[in-house]
Amino acid sequence: MREISVAVLVPARPADNLSELVVRNAREAPSAVTFARPTGAGWQDVTCAQFLDEVTAVARGLIATGVEPGDHVGLMSKTRYEWTLLDFAIWSVGAITVPVYETSAPDQVSWILSDSGAVAVVTETAAHRAAVEGVRGTLPGLREVWCLDDGDLDRLVERGGGVPADEVDRRRASTDSTSIATLIYTSGTTGRPKGCQLTHGNFLELSRNAAACMSDVVHADAASTLLFLPLAHVFARFIQVLCVESRVRMGHTPDVKNLLGDLSSFRPTFVLAVPRVFEKIYNSAAATADASGRGRIFGIAADTAIRYSQALDGRGPGPVLRLQHAIFDRLVYAKLRDRMGGRVQYAVSGGAPLGARLGHFFRGLGLTILEGWGLTETTAPSTVNTPDQLRIGSVGRPLPGVTVSVADDGELLVRGVNVMAGYHNNPDASAEALAGGWFHTGDIGEIDDDGFVRITGRKKEIIVTAGGKNVVPSLLEDRLRAHPLISQCIVVGDQRPFVACLVTLDAEMLPGWLTTHDRPPMDVATAAHDPQVRAAIQTAVNSANEVVSKAESIRKFLILDTDFTEAGGHLTPKLSLKRAVILKEFSGQVEELYG
């Protein structure tokens, strides 16, 4: 199939804007709980009426400081309740939110705020504020810098005390579905990040249609989700709007180190995450089982979960498999579900390929992962698996209102309600990306006979060996990262005689692995040269090579004594490899592979 189009389920409402969702919720269900804020004693509920009052109060403060409709306001903070509060307050005055990752380098902060022309910035910590102040000389249009941890949000509300409430209503009416809601700057794996102009209509029409086809998830009894991905990323931002649109109870947590504890106390019915989170959950459970002497039992349980899920796609599990599954549900699966709060039924995954094995494992233990695909330019999801249309190993069918096509060279093209208006201050890049009325994604993929989309690689990341063989690195990398010892890896071999890779070790998983394999304690740098560690990595490489031809297989690998991290500039905030950066920094190690 070369093209698949899914008709809209919810017609467009051209006069609507995102801030009106808050007003509608307060009018229709004032006492319904829309958020829960973390406190020392647990979670404090916020009703729709309370949220409207808080949004209005902050909006009045923004007006008092001179923020006008169409102005750009930066927001540099980890995921927290105030992020969402400020987002809707900015929209309520007709302004445009410009997210800045809290991990951004000074040059990135300067570029995003200068290119957008931000007139004000909300930061979270004193360090974030200092980062902005450090580049303020390059930002002549920046008038205000506020810091949440310094109490500036309360002072902003105080400043708005003299602004009439109906002035917020007047400002709110100044925007419609065609107005720009946000500038989200692409992660910039190569070159300067580009500011994607996403409209109110992009978010509204996509979230309404997504809710209509995912009713089992967002309209379930007492539906709730705990948001822990960065709200500066379009994926989490879309879910934020989806939850407010559908009145799903939502919590925020900024620190994934405490994720299992937060999941346990919040008890969400669905979550969203990138594949690395699910890999970590699986590897951590396997390592815990190994350490307690139950590794063999866990391995059998995992295999049973996978076979059970695979059987659901056919004639269904037979009586023996059902019995085995029921036994392991009591012994293993229920404990894993309890660690995630005990109520999670669905997870939405995006940002990178998940892998069919993990998808079947989690569905087999009672957590169905709905894998989707999209980019910043498509307001996050263009396609997604839904509870009633699920094909593990694919990224699902297009959402209602979206069309996906395969170009002659295999590139996936998208058009529909979710496609951006263009890149800010960059007409040439906009014309190139939106040529012919389609957004050119840069992803290579295919559409099966039932309309399910599969991603097979990135146009710019395909490796061509010296022998002329095309290699998709992500296929091998995804398999390698499934091994508990491996944190990150990058496949190399462009214009080289064979394919090779650089591997980094997972510092959190290493101590447990060493103990269960009767090895003495050692740091990552020492472990990189340990014969048994190298043998384990070789086993992972052999497993990855099983899914490709001999010409595409990894012939050599090198274990690094450090990791690829976002802080080190090697990964984007959604944990994608910055290949050009890594290959430049580790060029000596790459040459060593081919020496």
Side-chain angles (χ1 to χ4, degrees), residues 47-120:
T47 67
C48 292
Q50 289 171 331
F51 187 60
L52 174 60
D53 289 343
E54 292 186 34
V55 167
T56 302
V58 175
R60 292 166 72 188
L62 293 172
I63 293 171
T65 62
V67 175
E68 297 288 341
D71 280 349
H72 294 88
V73 178
L75 189 44
M76 185 180 186
S77 168
K78 290 183 179 179
T79 294
R80 53 191 284 177
Y81 170 77
E82 290 82 3
W83 211 112
T84 298
L85 173 63
L86 283 157
D87 208 10
F88 278 93
I90 291 166
W91 289 333
S92 294
V93 301
I96 299 167
T97 308
V98 183
V100 182
Y101 284 102
E102 79 278 358
T103 55
S104 297
D107 182 63
Q108 294 171 316
V109 175
S110 174
W111 167 252
I112 291 172
L113 297 181
S114 62
D115 185 66
S116 65
V119 301

Side-chain angles (χ1 to χ4, degrees), residues 299-317:
I300 298 172
D303 181 64
T304 300
I306 292 168
R307 289 189 293 113
Y308 185 87
S309 174
Q310 290 170 335
L312 293 175
D313 292 334
R315 297 182 177 180

Side-chain angles (χ1 to χ4, degrees), residues 258-319:
N258 302 320
L259 180 58
L260 289 178
D262 289 335
L263 288 171
S264 180
S265 63
F266 190 86
R267 304 188 70 227
T269 59
F270 72 93
V271 294
L272 70 152
V274 293
R276 190 60 179 148
V277 171
F278 300 112
E279 290 169 355
K280 283 279 191 180
I281 291 172
Y282 177 89
N283 289 339
S284 176
T288 300
D290 282 339
S292 64
R294 297 189 172 188
R296 181 173 177 275
I297 294 175
F298 181 84
I300 298 172
D303 181 64
T304 300
I306 292 168
R307 289 189 293 113
Y308 185 87
S309 174
Q310 290 170 335
L312 293 175
D313 292 334
R315 297 182 177 180

Side-chain angles (χ1 to χ4, degrees), residues 540-562:
V541 169
N542 294 343
S543 176
N545 284 342
E546 291 175 359
V547 300
V548 297
S549 68
K550 185 176 181 180
E552 299 169 278
S553 63
I554 297 169
R555 307 289 182 85
K556 290 180 68 176
F557 66 87
L558 179 67
I559 305 175
L560 302 177
D561 58 7
T562 187

